Amino acid sequence: PDWNDLVYQGNWEEASRNLHSTNNFPDFTGRICPAPCEASCTLNLIETPVTIKTIEHAIAERAWENGWLKPEIAPHKTGRKVAVVGSGPAGMACAQQLARAGHDVHLFEKNAKAGGLLRYGIPDFKMEKDVIDRRVKQMEAEGVTFHYNAPVGGDARGAIDPQQLLKEYEAVALTGGAEAPRDLPIAGRDLDGIHFAMDFLPQQNRRVGNEPLGDARDILAGGKHVVVIGGGDTGSDCIGTSLRQGATSVTQLEIMPAPPEHEDKALTWPNWPLKMRTSSSQAEGAEREFAVLTQKFEGKDGKVTKLHCVRVDEKFQPIAGSEFSLDADLVLLAMGFVHPVHEGLLKTLGVELDQRGNVRANTADYETSLPKVFTAGDMRRGQSLVVWAIREGRLCARAVDTFLMGSTNLPR
């Protein structure tokens, strides 16, 4: 409400200062957050809500255009060294706050550039990557050292031993995200042409960003019948990317029933309402099928050619006689992520996991089962929104600063 009112008064610079006091990267959230705040707006009860997300975006862009976002360089250095592993929005927020507190912060990223899923999961047509690059420059000016092509743990080329980080740094924050995808272990899963969304999307982002694909074989949708399994944002991104690559057809399957066209506001407000939403990618020409279960994949010469599906009832039980098949040359599995990748970093360190397979840590001190090792973002809470990643990164930075200095002046 504060920065909305400041914009109303025409005081954009103060609105930017107010907005940035709780959100390091409103230019990220103003582009890709689904805006649950708008669903919770009181105006939404009787008419359309305040366009909070658009205003946020406008404030951030005006701040950049007018040179209001100067690097906030710490006046005093503490001499303490901190390592942050993973440069997604949680890692970037954590690193930026710690640098502003005066610590010597080193951010380790396995890929060639910073941003995590912001860069390698979200297509450029939804978020241009220079939005990330300008924040990286700001952070470098504030004293954050970025280490690229630097995976921590595992046996990849150039991998860093996690134990070495514990020796060299006085605190380590794990912000590596939740990258283990949910699989579909049914007959025919081993056929060629069936891929996880996060094998497909990063390739296109690397092509657009003029990055080498490495040893990976090209996954392209041009001239193919594409089936996307999963109805969320990742599935939508697969649709838009497939259509831009020249797919012959794109069909999206969702196991949930079709939601209503309009929500019952009196029943759902202020919670996120269940209603039919059509993304720009879906509007570009995807066929959407709801309440559908894929039973098996069929192939020829080792390559997928068909999906065998059945419609399901409200209890997700197959409806007899409703079986059908779909032509498919490329199948993209976009059913979400189950937890962080355990192989490599987490197993080498030996941090405790919770019952869902995420790194165990509470929201009071963000400390893992290992002394001086902290965690935040999707690696701690599981797959979630960018706004939560930024929030947890900030709170984790406060916890690390308190651990190192005995107290903290970092804002929440």
Side-chain angles (χ1 to χ4, degrees):
D2 294 346
W3 46 259
N4 277 335
D5 189 54
L6 288 161
V7 167
Y8 171 68
Q9 294 170 26
N11 193 344
W12 288 83
E13 187 170 4
E14 182 61 17
S16 170
R17 191 202 62 74
N18 188 287
L19 173 56
H20 280 87
S21 71
T22 58
N23 182 354
N24 295 61
F25 312 119
D27 32 2
F28 300 169
T29 48
R31 283 172 167 81
I32 57 167
C33 182
C37 54
E38 292 183 20
S40 299
C41 175
T42 49
L43 269 183
N44 190 40
L45 275 169
I46 51 171
E47 47 180 308
T48 53
V50 174
T51 54
I52 303 169
K53 177 177 169 181
T54 308
I55 296 168
E56 184 174 34
H57 177 265
I59 294 170
E61 291 311 305
R62 192 171 291 213
W64 279 112
E65 286 163 16
N66 287 284
W68 298 334
L69 297 178
K70 302 269 193 304
E72 296 179 30
I73 299 166
H76 305 290
K77 298 294 184 184
T78 64
R80 303 298 184 90
K81 284 182 73 175
V82 183
V84 180
V85 181
S87 72
M92 286 179 70
C94 184
Q96 183 167 54
Q97 293 298 97
L98 287 167
R100 289 174 176 178
H103 303 303
D104 180 15
V105 183
H106 292 255
L107 188 47
F108 293 86
E109 170 54 52
K110 66 183 176 185
N111 291 306
K113 296 177 183 175
L117 288 191
L118 292 174
R119 187 180 296 275
Y120 294 103
I122 294 173
D124 285 62
F125 60 80
K126 265 174 75 172
M127 180 175 168
E128 311 88 337
K129 304 314 178 228
D130 58 353
V131 175
I132 306 168
D133 295 336
R134 65 190 180 186
R135 286 295 183 182
V136 169
K137 282 182 186 165
Q138 180 192 35
M139 291 170 64
E140 286 174 337
E142 291 169 346
V144 177
T145 305
F146 286 82
H147 300 267
Y148 298 121
N149 297 310
V152 179
D155 51 11
R157 192 172 58 195
I160 296 161
D161 182 0
Q163 300 298 334
Q164 192 62 34
L165 287 190
L166 294 182
K167 287 179 192 156
E168 287 184 31
Y169 294 88
E170 290 161 87
V172 176
L174 309 178
T175 57
E179 293 190 336
R182 183 172 282 108
D183 206 347
L184 187 60
I186 56 174
R189 171 64 181 88
D190 56 344
L191 289 166
D192 195 16
I194 303 168
H195 302 275
F196 290 117
M198 290 312 300
D199 292 330
F200 172 67
L201 294 172
Q203 279 198 1
Q204 184 65 4
N205 284 330
R206 288 191 172 95
R207 288 187 198 98
V208 174
N210 294 316
E211 281 187 50
L213 297 187
D215 302 329
R217 197 177 58 177
D218 273 328
I219 306 169
L220 292 165
K224 294 177 181 174
H225 294 290
V226 179
V227 177
V228 178
I229 301 178
D233 285 338
T234 305
S236 176
D237 294 343
C238 288
I239 292 168
T241 302
S242 296
L243 290 169
R244 280 158 180 75
Q245 289 182 358
T248 303
S249 70
V250 182
T251 306
Q252 184 177 32
L253 304 182
E254 167 63 82
I255 196 168
M256 301 294 286
E261 284 295 328
H262 302 285
E263 77 270 38
D264 183 343
K265 289 183 179 181
L267 185 67
T268 60
W269 185 89
N271 296 318
W272 183 245
L274 181 68
K275 68 174 180 179
M276 182 65 79
R277 293 177 171 86
T278 301
S279 71
S280 59
S281 293
Q282 290 164 335
E284 287 168 358
E287 290 290 325
R288 300 170 74 185
E289 295 277 357
F290 293 90
V292 168
L293 175 69
T294 306
Q295 293 183 304
K296 68 174 181 179
F297 301 110
E298 181 187 326
K300 186 178 180 184
D301 300 327
K303 293 182 179 176
V304 69
T305 55
K306 275 190 188 320
L307 271 75
H308 292 273
C309 309
V310 65
R311 302 201 180 273
V312 295
D313 61 21
E314 62 275 5
K315 294 182 179 175
F316 308 117
Q317 297 305 306
I319 298 170
S322 69
E323 295 84 0
F324 67 99
S325 62
L326 288 170
D327 289 336
D329 311 305
L330 175 63
V331 179
L332 300 172
L333 305 179
M335 301 177 296
F337 304 91
V338 288
H339 50 62
V341 174
H342 294 159
E343 299 303 320
L345 169 64
L346 300 184
K347 281 197 173 172
T348 306
L349 277 176
V351 290
E352 272 183 30
L353 306 175
D354 65 18
Q355 69 270 24
R356 292 164 56 214
N358 301 317
V359 179
R360 185 187 297 283
N362 63 44
T363 54
D365 58 18
Y366 289 85
E367 195 161 3
T368 68
S369 57
L370 298 178
K372 79 175 191 179
V373 179
F374 300 78
T375 186
D378 288 5
M379 189 166 257
R380 190 201 71 81
R381 66 182 291 121
Q383 178 188 350
S384 191
L385 304 178
V386 65
V387 66
W388 269 116
I390 295 169
R391 174 74 174 152
E392 291 220 350
R394 287 173 65 88
L395 293 175
C396 182
R398 275 176 56 89
V400 173
D401 191 35
T402 304
F403 168 77
L404 292 173
M405 308 304 293
S407 62
T408 184
N409 291 320
L410 286 173
R412 289 174 61 80

